[in-house]
Amino acid sequence: MQPEIRHTASASSISLLDLFRIGIGPSSSHTVGPMRAANAFLRALAGREGEIARLTATAYGSLAWTGKGHATDKAMVLGLAGCRPDEILPDEADKLFHGIGTAHVLRLPDGREIGFDPVRDVSFDRQMQFKRHTNAMRFTAFDTAGREVLSQLWFSIGGGFVVRDGEESEPAAEISVPYPYGTAAQLLHAAQVAGLSIAELALANEGARHQNEEVLGYIGRVAEAMFACIERGLTQQGELSGGLHVKRRARHIYAGLQGRAQRNEFIPHTHLDYVCAFAMAVNEENAAGGRVVTAPTNGAAGVIPAVLRYYRDFCDTADEAGVRTFFLTAAAVGGLIKRNASISGAEVGCQGEVGSASAMAAAGLCAALGGSNAQVENAAEIAMEHHLGMTCDPIGGLVQVPCIERNAFGAIKAITAASLALQGDGTHIVSLDAVIETMRQTGFDMQSKYKETSLGGLAANVTIC
């Protein structure tokens, strides 16, 4: 029996420009989201800076339990300092955060400086829980008499998306589109009636917000950022910070593959070894706080770039049109998952992060290789189905183990799913809607210790040396 599907159809759509965000590591929900929320709070104080004598930030729930390992404190401080994750470079972020922590001074947008001590003014509350979402944070401004000037409660709901308490969703998600759909079945039907591919329909819906040239230009920038992240990750070596003593491996794996190629040595799974190196390169960069693209989250940031580079480097039919088709299709699937379940590891476990990324990558690759709409939906379903139940249990609260290797496996599963779908005619027993709903239900049933709190699973059974 198929699970009952929650139908959430509306005349709205999640934009590709919101789903793929260029930012810094190590986490979209714990780093990118908190920086965006803190920056939004700071902007809400515009015109009242003269009243402000003190600012405080408090992280709750999963943000509190794994916030130090995910640099949540750093992200909130930088947001209060006026930084945005899509604008600041990693080296600049480190320098500014260190400077604030040393000088105990924060500069407001009007140029005035106030006393600010990250140790005193940033706190982690592991007791308070909020029904809306476990990733909660509160920002408060006080005047010289200690009176509250403004206080806002924010939620980081995955993938860098944030919403303020009292709001339903980010405003950008509530714009009418020419082809509204709330489920995969409705998406397939709308595309069939219109005679469009999923990518073409997605681009038409993007037109409700942006000019086509802007969307296609953004896709180009995102692809460039993904490839650049892979390239940087393939050149770096050494040990990742955090205390786990995890050594970067992508460079070593890639060098071995290049050496094998120069010796004309080829083994059947060589292409998959490259994919693993690509995925691990990205997530090693993410773990180091480097510049990555949320796809749809930072914890799962390596899956889509690795599959995209597999398409570019190893598929004979690869071209720029295929890259655009890849992204537009992946975004359509990612939007369905986010709307009907979750892409937040703190909410549904890693099935919502790497599982979602794998489904998006599988759909994108299938479409880029000429798959029909039915085959694309099948590819996404296969990839998601085989990530069901995956927990989010980062050791030490760091996005390192098992996250880095898990992205490599997510990429391999995506390629396998696309291949299986392309060998069929699009008909299958389990629908994408059914597997998304199953993921949502599984995440709801999952104990909190398996959802990014680092209180269970590998995090509780591996001794940190």
Side-chain angles (χ1 to χ4, degrees), residues 374-392:
Q375 288 172 319
V376 167
E377 186 260 0
N378 189 197
E381 177 275 318
I382 293 171
M384 176 57 78
E385 180 181 346
H386 298 290
H387 283 88
L388 290 176
M390 184 175 286
T391 59
C392 183

Side-chain angles (χ1 to χ4, degrees), residues 63-133:
L63 293 180
W65 283 107
T66 62
K68 286 289 186 179
H70 287 65
T72 300
D73 50 346
K74 174 182 174 182
M76 293 192 296
V77 170
L78 291 175
L80 292 176
C83 300
R84 293 171 51 91
D86 57 332
E87 295 175 349
I88 191 165
L89 296 175
D91 290 343
E92 295 173 353
D94 291 339
K95 182 178 180 180
L96 178 57
F97 181 64
H98 177 73
I100 293 172
T102 301
H104 294 170
V105 169
L106 191 68
R107 186 183 297 274
L108 298 177
D110 65 354
R112 194 167 59 87
E113 294 183 340
I114 62 171
F116 186 87
D117 182 356
V119 175
R120 178 197 66 191
D121 297 319
V122 178
S123 59
F124 294 89
D125 186 333
R126 296 182 174 88
Q127 303 302 317
M128 179 71 73
Q129 296 289 329
F130 295 88
K131 186 176 181 180
R132 175 72 180 270
H133 197 285

Side-chain angles (χ1 to χ4, degrees), residues 197-463:
S197 70
I198 290 175
E200 290 168 337
L201 184 147
L203 183 59
N205 280 352
E206 290 289 347
R209 300 180 178 85
H210 315 284
Q211 296 294 324
N212 281 4
E213 294 76 12
E214 181 184 358
V215 176
L216 299 181
Y218 187 78
I219 288 174
R221 290 194 295 276
V222 167
E224 182 180 352
M226 287 182 171
F227 290 142
C229 186
I230 291 175
E231 289 300 328
R232 176 169 170 77
L234 292 176
T235 65
Q236 302 302 301
Q237 60 185 337
E239 193 174 279
L240 294 170
S241 62
L244 291 184
H245 306 294
V246 173
K247 293 183 179 179
R248 289 180 182 250
R249 289 182 288 165
R251 172 176 169 165
H252 174 73
I253 295 171
Y254 186 70
L257 290 168
Q258 293 292 88
R260 189 185 300 165
Q262 292 173 2
R263 296 189 299 271
N264 291 319
E265 296 177 4
F266 178 82
I267 54 179
H269 56 76
T270 292
H271 290 175
L272 300 185
D273 289 341
Y274 274 106
V275 172
C276 289
F278 299 154
M280 293 174 68
V282 172
N283 282 85
E284 287 172 356
E285 278 296 287
N286 179 61
R291 197 165 187 78
V292 300
V293 178
T294 59
T297 67
N298 282 34
V303 176
I304 288 176
V307 176
L308 182 67
R309 178 141 171 189
Y310 166 81
Y311 169 72
R312 189 195 73 177
D313 290 3
F314 300 117
C315 296
D316 293 338
T317 59
D319 57 19
E320 289 301 314
V323 170
R324 293 193 290 268
T325 294
F326 183 108
F327 274 105
L328 288 163
T329 306
V333 170
L336 281 171
I337 296 171
K338 185 180 187 306
R339 180 168 294 280
N340 294 320
S342 177
I343 58 172
S344 170
E347 197 167 30
V348 294
C350 197
Q351 58 175 354
E353 295 205 30
V354 170
S356 296
S358 187
M360 293 166 66
L365 179 62
C366 183
L369 294 177
S372 67
N373 288 346
Q375 288 172 319
V376 167
E377 186 260 0
N378 189 197
E381 177 275 318
I382 293 171
M384 176 57 78
E385 180 181 346
H386 298 290
H387 283 88
L388 290 176
M390 184 175 286
T391 59
C392 183
D393 50 354
I395 297 175
L398 300 165
V399 192
Q400 297 179 16
V401 182
C403 317
I404 295 171
E405 287 182 354
R406 189 167 283 175
N407 274 257
F409 276 83
I412 298 300
K413 286 184 180 180
I415 295 170
T416 303
S419 178
L420 286 172
L422 286 167
Q423 294 179 64
D425 61 3
T427 59
H428 50 289
I429 295 174
V430 180
S431 70
L432 178 57
D433 286 325
V435 80
I436 290 175
E437 175 60 15
T438 301
M439 189 265 277
R440 185 191 71 83
Q441 293 177 5
T442 303
F444 180 80
D445 291 339
M446 194 181 291
Q447 295 181 40
S448 62
K449 67 180 180 180
Y450 298 116
K451 293 190 286 188
E452 212 169 5
T453 58
S454 290
L455 298 176
L458 287 175
N461 289 294
V462 176
T463 302

